[in-house]
């Protein structure tokens, strides 16, 4: 087996599993702020329970994100040694900045939010929930900034063929950073709020804790619809940026093999990479040219006009991109229907909608994963666009057997963790907002102390 | 030059931060395996509950800082120590999830699984991080591309394994010190654990010092050339010497301070004896020795990764210094604030903030 293939596989698997959790928690964190703020204003016990419930669900999810995320930074060293050497002057800085500026903030105040909430005032409770959300969102910025530099490297000089930093701001705010950051964070807001909508729908369908569920779903639905609508503009912004900076990627996303004037936007298609054409292509004429450039007659460069060795894999870019695109449309529709029922005050009776919303929970995460997959596949064969090929980035000194072994370990471990996560999530939901507070510090602690003290 | 030296020092500071803060919750995790009392176990996990996550960020920060400041070291060490590093990651993952998972269900079988995972997940990194430092100290074989040229088994040499047990002992001392503050009612058990860990640590400190001087005399060159550096082994020794006494003293936070001083001294000692090398090339150890013997030669630096040949550009180092200069003080401020806010209402934790102010 080939070390390159194995290391790519390992990165794909670990990153895909890791991304599930931040995709959920960034959105949930901001909803938590809203829930805690409501409790802060009302001081109502029910509002407190509601906030605590969602914080507990958030914390469980967040822990999985932390656990699976530890692997990510170190993997650049273990499996991608030549990558680390090549990009080290630029790529390490945002990762270190993430730890100093964002990760500490998140971790410290999550500790307060979860383990300390019975020992602090309402004000610090609110501030902590805000700082956790802020830290998570800031953390995402540094990761996306680092990843965007791989897509559209900037702010460097080549010294002996290796990029050296010449302008930190330009490197962090590379041409794709802002569009990709906004697009990604908004997709996380969609996924996180859809999760809260879906879980609340589950409660409403079972006629359990209805008051709690109704309050939650009402807030989350508005959040979800706004995020989905904003995504239209953000997705567009990102698409225009891809058209400008990564034409081969755009062609792969859209299934454009032959350079054409007035290129169509495909609604459905089956790419045939061997023959360099679309087997099936149903599209709206001239729309792609118009969206990408503002001119319906503009020329879009097709894949066949790129040298063969810089063409991204088409099917693996085209399908994820299109499915993500449709999911985006579906979210708007779902949000509109939900807000319609909300306005009519008929959410508890809208069984069909609630069922669909419940089964849609995974779709938010799936959309995030597909977008990530399209972005990374569309960048191939480069790991740093135009500068370093993925094939030249791997740690060739690591024996293939060891990589195989680590993939095996990670897959077994991560699958077990995901199953336990789902199991515990079910338990948590079944217990509902009135369930035991598993983190309560004071009471349990006091009883432990008393019991121990009494024994001595 | 100056920037590279500053970053060499900063990496040392970050590693010390991890040894002191991450060290205590790793130590608590290891001790966890020795304690069969269910209620005490729950108390131990709750003691580190609010803090462990931020403590572990120090390790992530160490990884990020080495990547940013010394990318060639990052690539060489982590790809070279591949399987060991994967095992450390598995340990960290296990302990992260088990703290969370364990809190969720209250059945004995469930608690058993995650208690074990938590203990094992703390043990593995506690030992392997020491093994890694042992290997760095004696040097590893590097090829022309500065990749690790040895095998996995080559990393498990006696010197490094002893160093692994040494780091385990130190973390347990540190963890016991933390528990002395937060779990005053378990004091007798803690004192016993702390004593055992101390005996093991001081014995290994002596043995490893002797082996180092006899087999790797190049590590003494810097100290002999600049005697002020003897402050580091002295600190380590004093910390170790006063530790047993501190366990009996009235100041609850004294054990943690003495063991933190030991850890600081040892990290300083490693840094001082390696400087400017970050990853010495084992193949050139002979040249080191001859340099020690007085034959003027700087060949030994050429094939090792040093602060000067493995660093990022001056601009990157400057930018990172600014980021750290803004980020670290802010982080320390809110960390201290959180420790004191949490200890105000909890009687058991009242002394925690004092401890942090000193040890950070």
């Amino acid at each position: 087996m080939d070390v390159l293939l194995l290391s790519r596989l390992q990165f794909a698997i670990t990153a895909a599993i890791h991304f599930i959790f931040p995709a959920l928690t960034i959105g949930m964190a901001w909803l938590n702020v809203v829930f805690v703020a409501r409790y802060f204003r009302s001081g109502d016990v029910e509002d407190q329970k509601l906030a605590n419930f969602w914080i507990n669900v958030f914390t469980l999810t967040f822990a999985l994100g932390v656990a699976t995320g530890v692997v990510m930074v170190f993997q650049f060293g273990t499996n991608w040694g030549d990558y680390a050497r090549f990009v080290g002057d630029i790529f390490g800085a945002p990762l270190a900045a993430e730890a100093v500026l964002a990760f500490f903030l998140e971790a410290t105040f999550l500790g307060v939010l979860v383990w300390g909430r019975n020992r602090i005032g309402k004000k610090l409770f609110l501030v902590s929930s805000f700082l956790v959300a802020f830290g998570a969102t800031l953390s995402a910025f540094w990761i996306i900034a680092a990843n965007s530099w791989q897509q559209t490297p900037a702010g460097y000089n080549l010294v002996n063929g290796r990029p050296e930093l010449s302008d930190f701001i330009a490197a962090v705010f590379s041409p794709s950073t802002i569009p990709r950051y906004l697009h990604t964070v908004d997709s996380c807001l969609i996924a996180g709020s859809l999760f809260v909508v879906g879980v609340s729908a589950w409660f409403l369908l079972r006629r359990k804790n209805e008051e709690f569920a109704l309050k939650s779903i009402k807030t989350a639905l508005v959040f979800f619809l706004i995020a989905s609508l904003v995504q239209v503009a953000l997705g567009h912004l990102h698409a225009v940026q891809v058209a400008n900076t990564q034409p081969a990627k755009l062609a792969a996303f859209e299934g454009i093999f032959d350079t054409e004037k007035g290129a169509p936007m495909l609604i459905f298609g089956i790419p045939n990479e061997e023959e360099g054409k679309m087997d099936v292509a149903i599209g709206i004429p001239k729309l792609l040219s118009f969206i990408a450039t503002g001119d319906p007659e503009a020329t879009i460069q097709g894949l066949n006009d790129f040298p063969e060795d810089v063409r991204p894999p088409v099917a693996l870019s085209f399908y994820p991109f299109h499915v993500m695109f449709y999911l985006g449309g579906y979210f708007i529709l779902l949000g509109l229907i939900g807000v319609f029922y909300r306005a009519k005050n008929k959410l508890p009776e809208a069984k069909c909608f609630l069922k669909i919303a419940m089964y849609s929970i995974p779709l938010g995460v799936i959309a995030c994963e597909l977008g990530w997959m399209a972005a990374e596949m569309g960048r191939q064969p480069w790991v740093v666009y135009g500068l370093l090929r993925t094939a030249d980035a791997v740690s060739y000194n690591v024996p293939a057997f060891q990589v195989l072994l680590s993939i095996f370990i990670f897959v077994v471990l991560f699958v077990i963790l995901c199953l336990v996560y789902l199991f515990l999530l079910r338990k948590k939901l079944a217990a509902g907002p009135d369930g035991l507070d598993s983190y309560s510090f004071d009471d349990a602690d006091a009883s432990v102390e008393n019991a121990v003290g009494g024994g001595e | 030059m100056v920037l590279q030296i500053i970053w060499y020092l900063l990496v040392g500071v970050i590693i010390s931060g991890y040894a002191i803060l991450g060290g205590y919750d790793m130590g608590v995790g290891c001790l966890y395996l020795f304690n069969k009392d269910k209620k005490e176990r729950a108390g131990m996990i709750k003691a580190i509950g609010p803090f462990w996550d931020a403590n572990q960020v120090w390790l992530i920060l160490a990884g990020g800082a080495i990547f940013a400041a010394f990318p060639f070291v990052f690539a060489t060490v982590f790809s070279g120590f591949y399987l060991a590093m994967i095992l450390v990651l598995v340990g960290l993952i296990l302990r992260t999830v088990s703290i969370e998972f364990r809190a969720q269900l209250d059945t004995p079988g469930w608690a058993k699984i995650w208690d074990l995972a938590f203990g094992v997940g703390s043990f593995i990194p506690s030992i392997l991080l020491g093994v890694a430092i042992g290997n760095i100290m004696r040097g590893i074989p590097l090829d022309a591309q500065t990749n690790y040229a040895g095998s996995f088994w080559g990393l498990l040499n006696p010197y490094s394994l002893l160093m692994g047990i040494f780091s385990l002992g130190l973390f347990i001392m540190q963890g016991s010190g933390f528990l002395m503050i937060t779990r005053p009612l378990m004091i007798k058990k803690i004192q016993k654990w702390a004593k055992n860990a101390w005996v093991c640590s001081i014995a290994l400190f002596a043995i490893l010092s002797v082996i180092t001087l006899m087999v790797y005399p190049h590590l003494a060159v810097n100290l002999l050339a600049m005697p002020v550096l003897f402050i580091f082994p002295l600190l380590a020794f004093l910390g170790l010497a006063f530790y047993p006494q501190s366990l009996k003293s009235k100041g609850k936070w004294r054990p943690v301070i003495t063991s933190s001083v030991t850890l600081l001294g040892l990290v300083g000692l490693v840094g001082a004896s390696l400087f400017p090398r970050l990853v010495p090339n084992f193949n050139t150890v002979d040249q080191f020795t001859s340099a020690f013997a007085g034959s003027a030669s700087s060949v030994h630096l050429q094939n090792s990764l040093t602060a000067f040949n493995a660093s990022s550009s001056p601009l990157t180092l400057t930018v990172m210094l600014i980021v750290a200069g803004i980020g670290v003080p802010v982080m320390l401020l809110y960390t201290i604030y959180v420790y004191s806010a949490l200890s105000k209402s909890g009687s058991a934790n009242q002394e925690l903030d004092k401890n942090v102010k000193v040890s950070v």
Side-chain angles (χ1 to χ4, degrees):
Chain A
M1 279 277 243
D2 173 24
V3 181
L4 173 64
L5 184 67
L6 288 170
S7 282
R8 289 185 71 177
L9 207 61
Q10 177 170 317
F11 198 90
I13 294 170
T14 51
I17 295 180
H18 169 63
F19 191 25
I20 295 173
F21 303 103
L24 287 171
T25 48
I26 291 177
M28 288 166 77
W30 286 108
L31 273 170
N32 284 343
V33 179
V34 177
F35 295 145
V36 174
R38 191 175 293 155
Y39 161 61
F40 180 75
R41 279 174 52 179
S42 73
D44 183 11
V45 181
E46 292 303 315
D47 283 339
Q48 185 186 15
K49 271 192 201 163
L50 185 144
N52 279 348
F53 175 80
W54 290 114
I55 288 172
N56 287 352
V57 173
F58 166 85
T59 309
L60 178 62
T61 314
F62 189 86
L64 271 287
V66 173
T68 52
V70 175
V71 181
M72 306 313 300
V73 181
F74 292 102
Q75 220 165 198
F76 293 117
T78 52
N79 293 69
W80 301 94
D82 284 350
Y83 174 76
R85 289 189 182 100
F86 185 79
V87 301
D89 203 49
I90 294 164
F91 195 82
L95 299 187
E98 187 216 5
V100 174
L101 301 175
F103 214 2
F104 272 118
L105 193 72
E106 242 175 308
T108 305
F109 286 94
L110 186 70
V112 178
L113 198 61
V114 176
W115 297 85
R117 65 181 162 217
N118 296 332
R119 337 160 99 200
I120 56 171
K122 278 200 302 185
K123 208 171 184 180
L124 184 54
F125 191 42
L126 180 62
V127 170
S128 300
S129 73
F130 172 78
L131 288 175
V132 168
F134 178 75
T137 315
L138 188 61
S139 177
F141 174 79
W142 292 107
I143 296 303
I144 297 286
N147 182 250
S148 294
W149 189 84
Q150 289 177 269
Q151 306 281 350
T152 51
Y156 67 92
N157 290 324
L158 282 181
V159 179
N160 299 326
R162 179 177 179 268
E164 270 193 12
L165 189 67
S166 64
D167 181 345
F168 182 66
I169 301 295
V172 170
F173 293 94
S174 75
S176 64
T177 302
I178 293 289
R180 298 182 78 240
Y181 177 62
L182 296 176
H183 181 61
T184 310
V185 167
D186 195 40
S187 67
C188 296
L189 296 181
I190 293 174
S193 53
L194 180 56
F195 180 88
V196 176
V197 168
V199 169
S200 309
W202 180 83
F203 277 105
L204 287 173
L205 282 167
R206 304 185 100 199
R207 311 201 129 267
K208 268 184 65 179
N209 304 98
E210 282 186 276
E211 201 187 328
F212 148 83
L214 203 57
K215 265 190 190 168
S216 306
I217 199 171
K218 276 183 167 174
T219 307
L221 263 176
V222 174
F223 208 85
F224 174 64
L225 178 62
I226 294 174
S228 303
L229 287 171
V230 169
Q231 195 64 293
V232 177
L234 296 178
H236 175 68
L237 184 71
H238 184 24
V240 171
Q241 167 260 312
V242 171
N244 287 332
T245 56
Q246 291 171 285
K249 189 185 202 177
L250 179 78
F253 280 0
E254 302 288 355
I256 304 293
F257 281 99
D258 296 313
T259 302
E260 40 190 320
K261 261 183 84 174
M265 177 109 146
L266 298 186
I267 294 169
F268 179 76
I270 298 176
N272 183 333
E273 289 179 62
E274 258 140 57
E275 293 175 35
K277 66 184 184 64
M278 297 298 289
D279 279 344
V280 179
I282 306 163
I284 303 167
K286 299 183 199 277
L287 190 59
L288 177 61
S289 290
F290 178 67
I291 286 182
T293 65
D295 170 14
E297 295 302 329
T299 305
I300 300 287
Q301 198 181 354
L303 284 166
N304 293 339
D305 282 344
F306 288 94
E308 213 167 316
D309 66 346
V310 298
R311 284 182 212 162
V314 184
L316 287 172
S317 315
F318 180 87
Y319 291 124
F321 173 76
H322 276 80
V323 177
M324 173 198 76
F325 184 85
Y326 285 120
L327 283 173
Y330 169 74
F331 295 149
I332 295 178
L333 197 66
L334 191 72
L336 284 172
I337 296 172
V339 168
F340 169 78
Y341 281 121
R342 182 189 189 276
K344 292 208 136 196
N345 259 331
K346 284 198 170 146
L347 274 171
E349 294 89 59
K351 300 273 181 223
C352 185
F353 165 76
L354 292 176
K355 242 181 209 160
I356 292 174
M358 187 180 85
Y359 285 114
S360 297
I361 290 176
L363 295 180
V365 174
I366 289 173
C368 290
E369 296 274 354
L370 289 171
W372 165 67
M373 192 173 163
E376 302 293 86
M377 278 299 168
R379 192 196 57 219
Q380 303 298 334
W382 303 102
V383 66
V384 182
Y385 194 68
L387 289 180
L388 182 71
R389 284 172 187 275
T390 309
D392 299 325
V394 79
S395 306
Y396 278 109
N397 55 317
V398 177
F401 166 74
Q402 294 192 5
V403 185
L404 194 63
L405 185 65
S406 64
I407 293 181
F408 176 76
I409 293 172
F410 283 134
V411 167
V412 171
L413 187 64
F414 281 17
V415 166
I416 291 175
L417 295 188
C418 288
L419 291 176
V420 174
Y421 169 73
L422 290 174
F423 167 74
L424 289 174
L425 193 62
R426 262 196 56 164
K427 285 259 172 202
K428 246 185 197 330
L429 300 188
D434 297 318
L436 268 177
D437 184 354
S438 38
Y439 305 99
S440 69
F441 203 110
D442 274 355
D443 306 343
D445 208 39
S447 70
V448 168
E449 294 287 20
N450 293 340
V452 175
E456 278 185 354
Chain B
M1 269 291 265
V2 175
L3 278 167
Q4 289 156 325
I5 294 171
I6 291 176
W7 271 102
Y8 189 92
L9 293 172
L10 276 180
V11 167
V13 170
I14 295 170
I15 291 176
S16 308
Y18 182 70
I20 289 169
L21 295 170
Y24 82 67
D25 74 58
M26 280 290 172
V28 170
C30 296
L31 285 174
Y32 203 73
L33 281 183
F34 299 119
N35 198 357
K36 297 284 176 225
D37 187 298
K38 236 184 90 184
K39 278 178 180 158
E40 287 180 1
R41 277 185 161 186
M44 288 165 77
I45 227 168
K46 287 204 158 126
I48 58 168
F51 312 118
W52 68 268
D53 195 0
N55 291 344
Q56 295 308 317
V57 177
W58 284 88
L59 188 64
I60 311 269
L61 177 61
I66 295 174
F67 193 175
F70 304 107
F72 296 92
V73 172
F74 182 76
T76 299
V77 170
F78 292 124
S79 68
F81 297 177
Y82 189 83
L83 277 186
M85 196 55 214
I86 298 295
L87 284 177
V88 168
L89 293 176
V90 169
L92 294 175
I93 292 171
L94 278 179
R95 73 195 301 277
T96 301
V97 295
S98 49
I99 294 179
E100 181 62 30
F101 285 174
R102 192 192 183 281
Q104 306 291 336
L105 260 187
D106 201 22
T107 61
W110 184 260
K112 223 176 216 171
I113 295 173
W114 299 111
D115 281 349
L116 184 70
F118 179 56
V120 171
S122 305
F123 245 98
I124 299 174
S126 299
I127 295 177
L128 288 183
L129 292 174
V131 173
I133 291 192
N135 276 297
I136 297 285
M137 286 189 67
R138 69 199 282 273
I140 55 173
L142 300 177
D143 65 14
Q145 281 81 47
T146 71
N147 273 319
Y148 174 60
S151 69
F152 172 66
W153 303 108
L155 298 172
L156 303 179
N157 49 76
Y159 180 75
S160 305
L161 287 175
L162 284 178
M163 199 68 97
I165 300 171
F166 188 32
S167 70
L168 175 69
L170 292 166
F171 281 0
I172 290 181
M173 280 170 57
Q174 182 77 354
S176 308
F178 176 77
L179 289 176
M180 293 285 281
I181 306 164
T182 49
R183 301 282 103 193
L185 294 172
M186 300 167 48
I187 198 156
K188 286 201 179 113
K189 263 189 192 173
I190 302 168
Q191 280 172 333
K192 202 181 77 195
W193 294 328
K195 269 262 172 61
N196 292 340
W198 174 78
V199 170
C200 166
S201 297
I202 199 151
L204 281 168
F205 182 60
I207 295 170
L208 284 165
S209 299
V210 171
I211 298 181
T212 305
L213 289 174
M214 287 173 64
V215 186
Y216 310 110
H218 61 278
L219 290 171
V221 173
N222 283 341
L223 275 78
L224 293 177
M226 210 175 156
V228 67
L229 294 175
F230 275 103
I231 184 82
F232 292 120
L234 187 70
L235 279 177
F237 177 75
L238 286 177
L240 277 170
F242 283 104
Y243 187 75
Q245 201 177 323
S246 73
L247 288 172
K248 286 175 200 145
S249 82
K250 278 205 176 142
K252 279 180 186 171
W253 36 270
R254 272 191 206 163
V256 133
I257 290 180
T258 42
S259 62
S260 296
V261 167
T262 309
L263 286 168
L264 267 178
L266 288 170
V267 174
L269 178 58
V270 171
S273 42
L274 284 175
F275 187 84
R277 295 178 289 268
L278 282 154
V279 186
N281 188 348
F282 189 72
N283 301 329
T284 58
V285 160
D286 291 339
Q287 275 109 330
F288 289 167
T289 325
S290 57
F292 174 59
S295 69
S297 158
S298 57
V299 191
H300 61 283
L301 288 182
Q302 277 175 3
N303 298 323
S304 295
L305 291 173
T306 70
F308 305 120
N309 69 14
S311 80
S312 286
S313 66
L315 180 60
T316 300
L317 295 177
T318 310
V319 168
M320 288 307 301
L321 201 58
I322 296 170
V323 170
I326 298 169
V328 172
V330 174
M331 181 268 283
L332 289 179
L333 277 179
Y334 63 65
T335 303
I336 291 168
Y337 170 71
V338 162
Y339 271 74
S340 65
L342 286 183
S343 59
K344 252 178 219 156
S345 47
S347 56
N349 285 23
Q350 247 154 23
E351 239 122 19
L352 213 56
D353 53 334
K354 285 187 201 157
N355 151 33
V356 163
K357 274 171 202 153
V358 175
S359 59
V360 168

